Amino acid sequence: MGKVKCQLAMSLDGYVAGPNQSLDDPLGVGGMELHRWVFELEAWRAPHGEEGGETNPSTVVVQEAQDVGAHVMGRNMFGGGPGPWADDPSWNGWWGEDPPFHTSVFVLTHHRREPQPMAGGTTFFFVTEGIESALDRAKEAADGRDVLISGGANAVQQYLAVGLIDELQLHIVPYLLGDGERLLEHVGDLRLEQERVIEAPGVVHLTYRVLR
């Protein structure tokens, strides 16, 4: 049986996105700084169709995040703005025609939309029945492999609050955002047990087991 995992980059002062998030700036002011550590990794570049890149202690972390059977994400992470979808939606996510997931991705939304198949094996399914329904469908699609709750913060908070995440991984970046969207709020009586620490250039990867 696979695990339900989550992994997010976080600033030293506890934010996973900066202030003033928008369609033009989805990570908010300064939010991109939380992800600089990953952009030069070969393990990140190859699935995004880019050549070259380096290998360092972060490589295994990225490879583990890619080795999952299905993803769940919130509407804001998928993007396209709030409210109902257009009759013929042109927005298919931030990742172009060949997203890096290569699995089924279940998007939490309040508005119905037909599944969107993409190149490379990714299909986006839009789930209006709530977080448990989305997770059940993701587990079925994963067929015994891990499921990754990919974000954003609100989606992760909902899963943590009801105890549906087995493993939480935080990529702590030595950068101060000062404001924005925090992760560890509205998560109920969350108890964690540290399992692993990996130090790498520009980031420390902390893995916790979520205690029931």
Side-chain angles (χ1 to χ4, degrees):
M1 177 66 70
K3 293 181 179 180
V4 179
K5 298 182 176 182
C6 169
Q7 55 95 24
L8 289 174
M10 179 186 290
S11 68
L12 200 58
D13 52 351
Y15 296 98
V16 295
N20 303 319
Q21 296 177 68
S22 66
L23 286 177
D24 294 328
D25 197 0
L27 294 176
V29 176
M32 190 63 71
E33 298 301 320
L34 304 183
H35 304 274
R36 297 287 181 199
W37 60 271
V38 77
F39 294 146
E40 297 305 316
L41 290 177
E42 180 182 13
W44 184 89
R45 296 173 67 86
H48 289 79
E50 300 183 20
E51 297 181 353
E54 62 186 44
T55 298
N56 67 34
S58 289
T59 296
V60 66
V61 176
V62 173
Q63 291 173 334
E64 288 172 352
Q66 294 166 346
D67 186 21
V68 297
H71 292 254
V72 177
M73 66 175 60
R75 168 73 183 269
N76 286 347
M77 182 170 176
F78 179 78
W85 307 100
D87 291 337
D88 183 19
S90 59
W91 181 266
N92 293 323
W94 305 100
W95 306 277
E97 294 302 314
D98 186 5
F101 306 106
H102 311 300
T103 64
S104 297
V105 180
F106 297 88
V107 180
L108 301 166
T109 177
H110 296 294
H111 304 281
R112 295 187 181 278
R113 176 174 168 176
E114 292 300 309
Q116 180 61 55
M118 308 293 289
T122 298
T123 299
F124 293 107
F125 296 91
F126 301 89
V127 182
T128 58
E129 296 83 12
I131 63 170
E132 293 190 19
S133 174
L135 184 56
D136 287 343
R137 292 178 61 182
K139 287 181 176 179
E140 182 178 2
D143 193 23
R145 300 174 66 196
D146 294 339
V147 172
L148 186 66
I149 311 298
S150 302
N154 181 261
V156 174
Q157 287 169 350
Q158 292 182 63
Y159 280 106
L160 285 172
V162 294
L164 291 177
I165 290 178
D166 301 309
E167 182 179 291
L168 175 64
Q169 187 173 81
L170 301 176
H171 314 300
I172 306 298
V173 177
Y175 185 81
L176 300 177
L177 281 171
D179 195 5
E181 191 169 18
R182 291 189 181 275
L183 175 64
L184 298 177
E185 296 181 338
H186 315 298
V187 293
D189 183 21
L190 181 64
R191 296 182 298 128
L192 305 173
E193 180 177 85
Q194 184 171 294
E195 290 192 328
R196 187 177 71 177
V197 178
I198 296 178
E199 297 183 13
V203 63
V204 176
H205 307 285
L206 305 176
T207 302
Y208 297 94
R209 182 168 64 92
V210 180
L211 302 177
R212 297 290 187 259

